[in-house]
Amino acid sequence: MEQNTKNSEIAEKELKSRMRLFRQALKDEAKKNQLHDSIEGSEVMIRFEIYLPTKNPDKFVDGLFLYMNDEGKIMSAEYYLKNSEGITVKELGEKEFKVVKELFQDAFSLEVE
């Protein structure tokens, strides 16, 4: 738990630093170009949302978010539950992800050109 809190603090500090950089880039075309030129790469990630059947949709709905790369491979997945209180999203653990990936990997096809 302590490591998670430390990582969260580091991430919050880095996010603030990045946002300062982004705001500066919005105000200065040279800084914007410099930022764009310094980006090392990117990756396409597509999210499929699967609506799971529920017996009581007035109470809650739930489903899965499947994240696929541009090769159509499921890279990660999250479970979500929506109710009158809002939405809760939980990243799947390794064992859960393995089951979901095996079940849904061939259910969707993706073609990126």
Side-chain angles (χ1 to χ4, degrees), residues 4 12 32 61 84 93 100 104 107:
N4 196 15
E12 186 66 32
K32 181 178 180 180
V61 293
S84 62
V100 167
F104 291 105

Side-chain angles (χ1 to χ4, degrees), residues 7-69:
N7 284 343
S8 184
E9 290 171 1
I10 291 169
E12 186 66 32
K13 181 180 174 184
E14 288 300 315
L15 175 60
K16 287 180 182 179
S17 174
R18 295 294 187 176
M19 292 308 297
R20 279 192 300 275
L21 176 67
F22 295 166
R23 283 190 287 275
Q24 291 171 359
L26 283 173
K27 294 177 184 176
D28 184 331
E29 193 66 27
K31 287 184 180 185
K32 181 178 180 180
N33 290 334
Q34 182 181 13
L35 173 63
H36 285 183
D37 291 343
S38 70
I39 293 174
E40 294 179 17
S42 62
E43 181 179 18
V44 173
M45 208 49 110
I46 309 229
R47 182 182 87 176
F48 284 92
E49 184 172 354
I50 298 174
Y51 307 106
L52 297 173
T54 182
K55 293 179 181 179
N56 197 350
D58 294 334
K59 199 170 190 178
F60 72 88
V61 293
D62 65 338
L64 296 167
F65 295 131
L66 302 179
Y67 298 91
M68 300 177 86
N69 66 12

Side-chain angles (χ1 to χ4, degrees), residues 49-112:
E49 184 172 354
I50 298 174
Y51 307 106
L52 297 173
T54 182
K55 293 179 181 179
N56 197 350
D58 294 334
K59 199 170 190 178
F60 72 88
V61 293
D62 65 338
L64 296 167
F65 295 131
L66 302 179
Y67 298 91
M68 300 177 86
N69 66 12
D70 59 350
E71 296 172 349
K73 181 178 177 188
I74 297 174
M75 303 302 292
S76 66
E78 298 170 319
Y79 170 79
Y80 71 85
L81 185 133
K82 295 179 190 177
N83 60 20
S84 62
E85 304 290 316
I87 184 169
T88 301
V89 179
K90 181 183 180 324
E91 188 170 348
L92 299 183
E94 188 177 326
K95 290 179 183 178
E96 298 161 325
F97 175 63
K98 184 177 178 181
V99 170
V100 167
K101 184 176 179 181
E102 189 173 324
L103 181 62
F104 291 105
Q105 181 60 55
D106 295 328
F108 305 99
S109 62
L110 178 65
E111 188 174 321
V112 179

